[in-house]
mmCIF file of all heavy atoms in Angstrom:
data_model
loop_
_atom_site.group_PDB
_atom_site.id
_atom_site.type_symbol
_atom_site.label_atom_id
_atom_site.label_comp_id
_atom_site.label_asym_id
_atom_site.label_seq_id
_atom_site.Cartn_x
_atom_site.Cartn_y
_atom_site.Cartn_z
ATOM 1 N N LEU A 787 -34.534 7.294 -48.138
ATOM 2 C CA LEU A 787 -33.801 8.358 -48.868
ATOM 3 C C LEU A 787 -34.330 9.736 -48.521
ATOM 4 O O LEU A 787 -33.564 10.658 -48.245
ATOM 5 C CB LEU A 787 -33.896 8.140 -50.372
ATOM 6 C CG LEU A 787 -33.059 6.987 -50.955
ATOM 7 C CD1 LEU A 787 -33.130 6.994 -52.462
ATOM 8 C CD2 LEU A 787 -31.587 7.119 -50.537
ATOM 9 N N HIS A 812 -30.403 40.810 -55.938
ATOM 10 C CA HIS A 812 -31.477 41.757 -55.679
ATOM 11 C C HIS A 812 -30.906 43.079 -55.171
ATOM 12 O O HIS A 812 -31.323 44.141 -55.587
ATOM 13 C CB HIS A 812 -32.447 41.154 -54.634
ATOM 14 C CG HIS A 812 -33.623 42.005 -54.368
ATOM 15 N ND1 HIS A 812 -33.760 42.745 -53.227
ATOM 16 C CD2 HIS A 812 -34.733 42.239 -55.106
ATOM 17 C CE1 HIS A 812 -34.895 43.411 -53.258
ATOM 18 N NE2 HIS A 812 -35.512 43.112 -54.387
ATOM 19 N N SER A 840 -29.872 36.182 -92.181
ATOM 20 C CA SER A 840 -29.322 35.011 -92.873
ATOM 21 C C SER A 840 -28.562 34.132 -91.896
ATOM 22 O O SER A 840 -27.612 34.613 -91.227
ATOM 23 C CB SER A 840 -28.400 35.498 -94.000
ATOM 24 O OG SER A 840 -27.633 34.397 -94.442
ATOM 25 N N ALA A 845 -22.999 31.155 -89.679
ATOM 26 C CA ALA A 845 -22.059 30.070 -90.015
ATOM 27 C C ALA A 845 -20.705 30.637 -90.394
ATOM 28 O O ALA A 845 -19.657 30.188 -89.891
ATOM 29 C CB ALA A 845 -22.633 29.233 -91.149
ATOM 30 N N LEU A 913 -27.206 16.658 -56.566
ATOM 31 C CA LEU A 913 -28.088 16.045 -55.575
ATOM 32 C C LEU A 913 -28.521 14.643 -56.027
ATOM 33 O O LEU A 913 -28.546 13.701 -55.213
ATOM 34 C CB LEU A 913 -29.320 16.963 -55.412
ATOM 35 C CG LEU A 913 -30.108 16.925 -54.119
ATOM 36 C CD1 LEU A 913 -29.201 17.096 -52.910
ATOM 37 C CD2 LEU A 913 -31.167 18.007 -54.123
ATOM 38 N N SER A 921 -28.202 5.546 -52.150
ATOM 39 C CA SER A 921 -29.148 4.473 -52.327
ATOM 40 C C SER A 921 -28.451 3.165 -52.691
ATOM 41 O O SER A 921 -28.757 2.106 -52.152
ATOM 42 C CB SER A 921 -30.160 4.869 -53.428
ATOM 43 O OG SER A 921 -31.040 3.840 -53.675
ATOM 44 N N SER A 932 -25.952 -8.499 -46.327
ATOM 45 C CA SER A 932 -26.092 -9.975 -46.330
ATOM 46 C C SER A 932 -27.504 -10.412 -45.957
ATOM 47 O O SER A 932 -28.028 -11.344 -46.575
ATOM 48 C CB SER A 932 -25.048 -10.606 -45.434
ATOM 49 O OG SER A 932 -25.130 -10.052 -44.153
ATOM 50 N N VAL A 1006 -42.329 31.695 -73.805
ATOM 51 C CA VAL A 1006 -41.425 31.796 -72.664
ATOM 52 C C VAL A 1006 -41.785 30.747 -71.622
ATOM 53 O O VAL A 1006 -40.910 30.095 -71.038
ATOM 54 C CB VAL A 1006 -41.536 33.222 -72.037
ATOM 55 C CG1 VAL A 1006 -40.690 33.308 -70.786
ATOM 56 C CG2 VAL A 1006 -41.054 34.262 -73.038
ATOM 57 N N GLY A 1072 -20.156 16.527 -77.446
ATOM 58 C CA GLY A 1072 -20.916 17.596 -76.802
ATOM 59 C C GLY A 1072 -22.279 17.161 -76.304
ATOM 60 O O GLY A 1072 -22.961 17.928 -75.628
#
Side-chain angles (χ1 to χ4, degrees):
Chain A
L787 286 186
H812 184 255
S840 166
L913 204 52
S921 177
S932 54
V1006 175

